[in-house]
Short mmCIF file of all heavy atoms in Angstrom, two decimals:
data_model
loop_
_atom_site.label_atom_id
_atom_site.label_comp_id
_atom_site.label_asym_id
_atom_site.label_seq_id
_atom_site.Cartn_x
_atom_site.Cartn_y
_atom_site.Cartn_z
N ILE A 1533 -7.01 7.89 6.50
CA ILE A 1533 -5.70 8.50 6.15
C ILE A 1533 -5.91 9.64 5.09
O ILE A 1533 -6.52 9.48 4.15
CB ILE A 1533 -4.86 7.42 5.46
CG1 ILE A 1533 -4.55 6.32 6.56
CG2 ILE A 1533 -3.53 8.03 5.03
CD1 ILE A 1533 -3.65 5.14 6.02
N ARG A 1534 -5.23 10.80 5.43
CA ARG A 1534 -5.14 11.95 4.60
C ARG A 1534 -3.82 12.38 4.19
O ARG A 1534 -2.87 12.07 4.83
CB ARG A 1534 -6.01 13.05 5.29
CG ARG A 1534 -7.39 12.85 5.67
CD ARG A 1534 -8.23 12.84 4.36
NE ARG A 1534 -9.56 12.38 4.70
CZ ARG A 1534 -10.14 11.27 4.23
NH1 ARG A 1534 -9.39 10.49 3.37
NH2 ARG A 1534 -11.40 10.91 4.55
N ALA A 1535 -3.74 13.10 3.12
CA ALA A 1535 -2.46 13.60 2.70
C ALA A 1535 -1.78 14.40 3.82
O ALA A 1535 -2.42 15.10 4.55
CB ALA A 1535 -2.74 14.54 1.48
N GLY A 1536 -0.49 14.08 4.05
CA GLY A 1536 0.21 14.78 5.08
C GLY A 1536 0.24 14.01 6.45
O GLY A 1536 1.06 14.33 7.31
N ASP A 1537 -0.60 13.01 6.61
CA ASP A 1537 -0.62 12.27 7.79
C ASP A 1537 0.68 11.52 7.92
O ASP A 1537 1.23 11.02 6.91
CB ASP A 1537 -1.75 11.19 7.82
CG ASP A 1537 -3.13 11.78 8.15
OD1 ASP A 1537 -3.27 12.94 8.41
OD2 ASP A 1537 -4.11 11.02 8.00
N ARG A 1538 1.20 11.38 9.16
CA ARG A 1538 2.34 10.59 9.44
C ARG A 1538 1.90 9.25 10.05
O ARG A 1538 1.10 9.25 10.88
CB ARG A 1538 3.25 11.31 10.55
CG ARG A 1538 3.80 12.71 9.95
CD ARG A 1538 4.93 12.53 9.00
NE ARG A 1538 6.12 11.98 9.66
CZ ARG A 1538 7.02 11.36 9.02
NH1 ARG A 1538 6.99 11.33 7.74
NH2 ARG A 1538 8.07 10.83 9.62
N LEU A 1539 2.53 8.23 9.59
CA LEU A 1539 2.22 6.87 9.90
C LEU A 1539 3.50 6.10 10.23
O LEU A 1539 4.67 6.44 9.77
CB LEU A 1539 1.45 6.10 8.94
CG LEU A 1539 -0.02 6.69 8.60
CD1 LEU A 1539 0.14 7.50 7.35
CD2 LEU A 1539 -0.95 5.55 8.42
N THR A 1540 3.48 4.98 10.86
CA THR A 1540 4.56 4.07 10.95
C THR A 1540 4.12 2.83 10.34
O THR A 1540 3.07 2.21 10.48
CB THR A 1540 4.76 3.78 12.55
OG1 THR A 1540 4.98 5.03 13.22
CG2 THR A 1540 5.91 2.75 12.61
N ALA A 1541 5.05 2.32 9.33
CA ALA A 1541 4.89 1.06 8.76
C ALA A 1541 5.84 0.01 9.28
O ALA A 1541 7.13 0.37 9.30
CB ALA A 1541 5.17 1.28 7.27
N THR A 1542 5.36 -1.04 9.85
CA THR A 1542 6.22 -2.00 10.40
C THR A 1542 6.10 -3.28 9.52
O THR A 1542 5.11 -3.75 9.13
CB THR A 1542 5.81 -2.42 11.80
OG1 THR A 1542 5.71 -1.14 12.55
CG2 THR A 1542 6.70 -3.36 12.44
N ILE A 1543 7.20 -3.81 9.11
CA ILE A 1543 7.38 -4.93 8.21
C ILE A 1543 7.88 -6.19 9.23
O ILE A 1543 8.79 -5.98 9.92
CB ILE A 1543 8.52 -4.67 7.13
CG1 ILE A 1543 8.20 -3.39 6.49
CG2 ILE A 1543 8.50 -5.97 6.18
CD1 ILE A 1543 6.92 -3.13 5.73
N HIS A 1544 7.12 -7.23 9.02
CA HIS A 1544 7.50 -8.43 9.80
C HIS A 1544 7.99 -9.47 8.81
O HIS A 1544 7.58 -9.52 7.70
CB HIS A 1544 6.26 -8.94 10.43
CG HIS A 1544 5.66 -7.97 11.51
ND1 HIS A 1544 5.94 -8.14 12.85
CD2 HIS A 1544 4.95 -6.87 11.42
CE1 HIS A 1544 5.40 -7.21 13.55
NE2 HIS A 1544 4.81 -6.35 12.55
N LYS A 1545 8.92 -10.35 9.33
CA LYS A 1545 9.40 -11.45 8.44
C LYS A 1545 8.30 -12.29 7.94
O LYS A 1545 8.26 -12.67 6.91
CB LYS A 1545 10.48 -12.23 9.23
CG LYS A 1545 11.18 -13.09 8.38
CD LYS A 1545 12.42 -13.78 9.07
CE LYS A 1545 13.24 -14.60 8.22
NZ LYS A 1545 14.48 -15.07 8.70
N ILE A 1546 7.36 -12.73 8.98
CA ILE A 1546 6.27 -13.63 8.56
C ILE A 1546 5.14 -12.86 9.43
O ILE A 1546 5.27 -12.16 10.37
CB ILE A 1546 6.45 -14.96 8.98
CG1 ILE A 1546 6.73 -15.19 10.48
CG2 ILE A 1546 7.40 -15.67 8.15
CD1 ILE A 1546 6.70 -16.54 10.94
N ALA A 1547 3.84 -13.18 9.08
CA ALA A 1547 2.68 -12.72 9.75
C ALA A 1547 2.87 -12.88 11.27
O ALA A 1547 3.12 -13.99 11.79
CB ALA A 1547 1.48 -13.28 9.14
N PHE A 1548 2.74 -11.82 11.96
CA PHE A 1548 2.80 -11.89 13.47
C PHE A 1548 4.19 -12.27 14.02
O PHE A 1548 4.30 -12.49 15.13
CB PHE A 1548 1.67 -12.86 14.10
CG PHE A 1548 0.36 -12.34 13.65
CD1 PHE A 1548 -0.30 -13.17 12.73
CD2 PHE A 1548 -0.33 -11.21 14.14
CE1 PHE A 1548 -1.62 -12.84 12.40
CE2 PHE A 1548 -1.54 -10.95 13.77
CZ PHE A 1548 -2.28 -11.69 12.88
N GLY A 1549 5.19 -12.32 13.08
CA GLY A 1549 6.58 -12.61 13.61
C GLY A 1549 7.17 -11.38 14.17
O GLY A 1549 6.55 -10.33 14.22
N GLU A 1550 8.42 -11.49 14.45
CA GLU A 1550 9.19 -10.34 14.92
C GLU A 1550 9.27 -9.24 13.91
O GLU A 1550 9.44 -9.63 12.68
CB GLU A 1550 10.65 -10.88 15.34
CG GLU A 1550 10.70 -11.74 16.56
CD GLU A 1550 10.30 -10.95 17.70
OE1 GLU A 1550 10.75 -9.86 17.96
OE2 GLU A 1550 9.56 -11.63 18.54
N PRO A 1551 9.19 -8.01 14.30
CA PRO A 1551 9.31 -7.02 13.26
C PRO A 1551 10.85 -6.91 12.84
O PRO A 1551 11.68 -7.02 13.67
CB PRO A 1551 8.94 -5.78 14.10
CG PRO A 1551 8.81 -6.08 15.42
CD PRO A 1551 8.79 -7.46 15.60
N ILE A 1552 10.96 -6.70 11.46
CA ILE A 1552 12.38 -6.61 11.03
C ILE A 1552 12.73 -5.19 10.57
O ILE A 1552 13.90 -4.82 10.38
CB ILE A 1552 12.60 -7.59 9.84
CG1 ILE A 1552 11.60 -7.31 8.70
CG2 ILE A 1552 12.56 -8.96 10.31
CD1 ILE A 1552 11.84 -8.14 7.45
N CYS A 1553 11.64 -4.31 10.40
CA CYS A 1553 11.85 -2.98 9.96
C CYS A 1553 10.70 -2.16 10.34
O CYS A 1553 9.62 -2.56 10.18
CB CYS A 1553 12.05 -2.99 8.37
SG CYS A 1553 12.36 -1.48 7.57
N GLU A 1554 10.98 -0.87 10.64
CA GLU A 1554 9.92 0.16 11.04
C GLU A 1554 10.38 1.39 10.31
O GLU A 1554 11.47 1.79 10.43
CB GLU A 1554 9.94 0.42 12.52
CG GLU A 1554 8.62 1.10 12.87
CD GLU A 1554 8.43 1.07 14.39
OE1 GLU A 1554 7.85 0.10 14.93
OE2 GLU A 1554 8.92 2.19 15.04
N VAL A 1555 9.34 1.93 9.56
CA VAL A 1555 9.62 3.09 8.79
C VAL A 1555 8.54 4.14 9.03
O VAL A 1555 7.41 3.86 8.97
CB VAL A 1555 9.62 2.77 7.25
CG1 VAL A 1555 9.90 3.92 6.33
CG2 VAL A 1555 10.57 1.58 6.85
N ALA A 1556 8.94 5.39 9.28
CA ALA A 1556 8.11 6.55 9.44
C ALA A 1556 7.78 7.01 7.99
O ALA A 1556 8.69 7.29 7.24
CB ALA A 1556 8.64 7.62 10.33
N VAL A 1557 6.47 7.10 7.72
CA VAL A 1557 6.15 7.53 6.38
C VAL A 1557 5.09 8.69 6.53
O VAL A 1557 4.36 8.86 7.41
CB VAL A 1557 5.48 6.35 5.55
CG1 VAL A 1557 6.59 5.30 5.23
CG2 VAL A 1557 4.40 5.72 6.26
N THR A 1558 4.93 9.44 5.33
CA THR A 1558 3.97 10.43 5.18
C THR A 1558 3.08 10.18 4.05
O THR A 1558 3.68 9.77 2.95
CB THR A 1558 4.64 11.82 4.91
OG1 THR A 1558 5.58 12.16 5.96
CG2 THR A 1558 3.70 12.90 4.79
N ALA A 1559 1.81 10.22 4.19
CA ALA A 1559 0.81 9.84 3.15
C ALA A 1559 0.73 11.06 2.12
O ALA A 1559 0.76 12.13 2.39
CB ALA A 1559 -0.50 9.54 3.75
N ARG A 1560 0.40 10.58 0.88
CA ARG A 1560 0.02 11.53 -0.20
C ARG A 1560 -0.99 10.83 -1.10
O ARG A 1560 -0.81 9.62 -1.32
CB ARG A 1560 1.26 12.11 -0.93
CG ARG A 1560 1.66 11.38 -2.18
CD ARG A 1560 2.86 12.07 -2.89
NE ARG A 1560 3.45 11.06 -3.80
CZ ARG A 1560 3.03 10.93 -5.04
NH1 ARG A 1560 2.01 11.75 -5.53
NH2 ARG A 1560 3.57 10.02 -5.74
N GLU A 1561 -1.95 11.62 -1.47
CA GLU A 1561 -3.07 11.12 -2.39
C GLU A 1561 -2.47 10.83 -3.82
O GLU A 1561 -1.54 11.67 -4.19
CB GLU A 1561 -4.21 12.07 -2.50
CG GLU A 1561 -5.12 12.31 -1.15
CD GLU A 1561 -5.97 11.11 -0.91
OE1 GLU A 1561 -6.34 10.45 -1.70
OE2 GLU A 1561 -6.16 10.94 0.30
N LEU A 1562 -3.00 9.86 -4.36
CA LEU A 1562 -2.51 9.59 -5.78
C LEU A 1562 -3.80 9.64 -6.63
O LEU A 1562 -4.78 9.22 -6.30
CB LEU A 1562 -1.99 8.08 -5.86
CG LEU A 1562 -0.71 7.86 -5.13
CD1 LEU A 1562 -0.42 6.34 -5.21
CD2 LEU A 1562 0.35 8.77 -5.80
N ALA A 1563 -3.51 10.39 -7.74
CA ALA A 1563 -4.58 10.38 -8.83
C ALA A 1563 -4.58 9.10 -9.50
O ALA A 1563 -3.31 8.54 -9.89
CB ALA A 1563 -4.35 11.60 -9.78
N PRO A 1564 -5.73 8.44 -9.77
CA PRO A 1564 -5.67 7.16 -10.55
C PRO A 1564 -4.80 7.14 -11.72
O PRO A 1564 -4.09 6.13 -12.00
CB PRO A 1564 -7.16 7.00 -10.96
CG PRO A 1564 -7.85 7.81 -9.91
CD PRO A 1564 -7.07 8.94 -9.59
N ALA A 1565 -4.73 8.17 -12.56
CA ALA A 1565 -3.94 8.17 -13.72
C ALA A 1565 -2.43 8.04 -13.56
O ALA A 1565 -1.75 7.57 -14.49
CB ALA A 1565 -4.25 9.37 -14.54
N GLU A 1566 -2.04 8.48 -12.36
CA GLU A 1566 -0.58 8.45 -12.12
C GLU A 1566 -0.04 7.13 -11.53
O GLU A 1566 1.13 6.86 -11.38
CB GLU A 1566 -0.01 9.61 -11.15
CG GLU A 1566 -0.45 9.45 -9.72
CD GLU A 1566 -0.02 10.52 -8.82
OE1 GLU A 1566 1.10 10.68 -8.58
OE2 GLU A 1566 -0.96 11.31 -8.36
N VAL A 1567 -1.06 6.12 -11.35
CA VAL A 1567 -0.61 4.81 -10.85
C VAL A 1567 -0.64 3.77 -12.04
O VAL A 1567 -1.68 3.57 -12.57
CB VAL A 1567 -1.62 4.36 -9.71
CG1 VAL A 1567 -1.14 3.01 -9.20
CG2 VAL A 1567 -1.76 5.40 -8.56
N PRO A 1568 0.60 3.37 -12.30
CA PRO A 1568 0.63 2.29 -13.50
C PRO A 1568 -0.09 0.98 -13.11
O PRO A 1568 -0.24 0.56 -11.96
CB PRO A 1568 2.16 2.08 -13.64
CG PRO A 1568 2.82 2.69 -12.45
CD PRO A 1568 1.90 3.57 -11.73
N LEU A 1569 -0.63 0.36 -14.13
CA LEU A 1569 -1.33 -0.84 -13.83
C LEU A 1569 -0.45 -1.99 -13.15
O LEU A 1569 -0.98 -2.75 -12.41
CB LEU A 1569 -1.94 -1.43 -15.15
CG LEU A 1569 -3.02 -0.60 -15.80
CD1 LEU A 1569 -3.58 -1.24 -17.13
CD2 LEU A 1569 -4.21 -0.33 -14.83
N TRP A 1570 0.88 -2.12 -13.48
CA TRP A 1570 1.71 -3.00 -12.73
C TRP A 1570 1.63 -2.84 -11.36
O TRP A 1570 1.64 -3.74 -10.51
CB TRP A 1570 3.09 -3.08 -13.38
CG TRP A 1570 3.88 -1.82 -13.05
CD1 TRP A 1570 4.07 -0.82 -13.97
CD2 TRP A 1570 4.63 -1.49 -11.87
NE1 TRP A 1570 4.87 0.11 -13.45
CE2 TRP A 1570 5.27 -0.30 -12.13
CE3 TRP A 1570 4.79 -2.18 -10.71
CZ2 TRP A 1570 6.08 0.34 -11.14
CZ3 TRP A 1570 5.60 -1.53 -9.68
CH2 TRP A 1570 6.20 -0.28 -9.95
N LEU A 1571 1.64 -1.53 -10.83
CA LEU A 1571 1.59 -1.15 -9.49
C LEU A 1571 0.20 -1.56 -8.79
O LEU A 1571 0.22 -1.99 -7.64
CB LEU A 1571 1.94 0.30 -9.21
CG LEU A 1571 2.22 0.66 -7.77
CD1 LEU A 1571 3.20 -0.08 -7.14
CD2 LEU A 1571 2.71 2.21 -7.82
N VAL A 1572 -0.82 -1.30 -9.49
CA VAL A 1572 -2.12 -1.64 -9.14
C VAL A 1572 -2.19 -3.25 -8.89
O VAL A 1572 -2.77 -3.80 -7.90
CB VAL A 1572 -3.28 -1.28 -9.98
CG1 VAL A 1572 -4.63 -1.86 -9.63
CG2 VAL A 1572 -3.28 0.24 -10.18
N ALA A 1573 -1.66 -3.97 -9.75
CA ALA A 1573 -1.52 -5.37 -9.67
C ALA A 1573 -0.70 -5.84 -8.51
O ALA A 1573 -1.21 -6.85 -7.66
CB ALA A 1573 -0.91 -6.04 -10.93
#
Side-chain angles (χ1 to χ4, degrees):
I1533 293 174
R1534 297 290 171 243
D1537 283 357
R1538 297 284 297 156
L1539 299 100
T1540 300
T1542 305
I1543 311 300
H1544 297 259
K1545 188 169 185 175
I1546 58 172
F1548 303 108
E1550 290 292 317
I1552 58 171
C1553 177
E1554 188 172 281
V1555 181
V1557 293
T1558 302
R1560 93 178 163 87
E1561 292 287 332
L1562 295 173
E1566 74 180 290
V1567 183
L1569 291 181
W1570 67 263
L1571 188 51
V1572 174

